Amino acid sequence: MTESLTATKKARLVVLISGSGSNLQSFIDACENGSLNAEVGAVISNKVGVKGLERAAQADIPGIVIDHRAFDSREEFDENLADLIESFNPDLVVLAGFMRILTPDFVTRFLGKLINIHPSLLPAYPGLHTHQRAIDAGDKEAGATVHFVTPELDGGPSILQARVPVEVGDSADSLAGRVLGYEHQIYPKAAQWFCQGRLAMDAGVAVLDGKPLDENGVIFNQASEQ
Ligand code: GRF
């Protein structure tokens, strides 16, 4: 499907959420203002009543809940989730605060068209509590990274990374809030590269405009065109 993506054709996205959906909102806004040549075909949440579903409704996007607690196993949930996603025939599947560990079978079904944003400077700090870990380690910089998803948790190749200074007196919350503002800029931008057919995953490496990216991906620079 990636092959058919061009500069002109609108890509179809499915966005997976579990909560607030502020990153989802950045996709909705980018689709509306034309900086992302795509449409969000569906929003899928594993939790009922979350703010992200309100955002979907507000934008007239179908919002579907598939509650993981209704399934006997992780495998069964993931298989049903994958079938649901495929029913929308997406070009790209976007994890936006989807708080579930995905099975290798699920990831393999969408390999190369499944992306995530993680609130750390990957490959540093996979997993949870990233901002507190950065503060505890005395890091001067924190940030967020858009990456392709592979079966290894937060271990897929990095695409685009925003670096954000840690300020004196920062708490995990204050740092998270500042990083989130950058997430909203880098996530739709990385998706746009994919939708333009400029970005792909090849043999486990992220490739942009034919060039393999290094372990941090492209470093976001607000001032440059990218
Ligand atoms: C963000 O911090 C993102 O990096 C992480 O989950 C959070 C989602 O926030 N993967 P939101 O639901 O998009 O507001």
Side-chain angles (χ1 to χ4, degrees):
M1 270 173 238
T2 311
E3 299 77 61
S4 65
L5 288 172
T6 63
T8 49
K9 179 184 171 280
K10 258 191 191 184
R12 188 176 308 106
L13 313 181
V14 168
V15 182
L16 271 58
I17 61 164
S18 299
S20 149
S22 70
N23 278 289
L24 162 67
Q25 189 66 54
S26 73
F27 274 79
I28 293 170
D29 295 346
C31 289
E32 270 173 21
N33 71 28
S35 58
L36 176 55
N37 189 27
E39 61 185 3
V40 180
V43 170
I44 300 176
S45 172
N46 66 315
K47 294 208 168 143
V48 287
V50 294
K51 171 111 178 144
L53 288 167
E54 284 173 34
R55 297 180 194 272
Q58 197 83 43
D60 279 329
I61 298 165
I64 301 132
V65 175
I66 175 166
D67 188 340
H68 58 278
R69 294 171 305 182
F71 297 86
D72 288 336
S73 67
R74 191 176 287 280
E75 287 71 22
E76 202 190 316
F77 170 70
D78 276 13
E79 200 179 322
N80 280 270
L81 175 63
D83 289 346
L84 178 62
I85 294 168
E86 266 176 5
S87 72
F88 292 98
N89 196 23
D91 297 296
L92 181 64
V93 180
V94 176
L95 304 179
F98 187 64
M99 300 303 284
R100 296 280 306 167
I101 291 174
L102 296 162
T103 56
D105 279 356
F106 178 97
V107 173
T108 304
R109 260 172 91 168
F110 298 103
L111 202 65
K113 49 186 273 190
L114 180 61
I115 59 174
N116 182 42
I117 190 160
H118 183 73
S120 79
L121 301 178
L122 288 174
Y125 309 129
L128 298 173
H129 311 302
T130 52
H131 302 299
Q132 190 61 54
R133 286 156 75 194
I135 290 169
D136 291 348
D139 293 352
K140 299 267 180 294
E141 282 185 320
T145 309
V146 181
H147 65 98
F148 282 107
V149 176
T150 62
E152 187 193 341
L153 181 68
D154 302 322
S158 298
I159 300 165
L160 179 57
Q161 184 166 89
R163 296 186 173 172
V164 181
V166 178
E167 288 172 7
V168 178
D170 251 337
S171 64
D173 282 351
S174 64
L175 181 56
R178 238 170 28 255
V179 170
L180 199 57
Y182 283 86
E183 292 185 29
H184 301 156
Q185 299 179 61
I186 64 173
Y187 208 4
K189 180 177 278 289
Q192 170 68 351
W193 292 344
F194 186 92
C195 295
Q196 290 172 309
R198 296 173 55 193
L199 172 71
M201 185 168 77
D202 185 10
V205 176
V207 178
L208 179 66
D209 297 330
K211 296 190 196 86
L213 300 178
D214 72 14
E215 63 169 7
N216 300 116
V218 175
I219 306 305
F220 176 64
N221 175 356
Q222 245 167 340
S224 81
E225 272 297 299
Q226 287 170 336

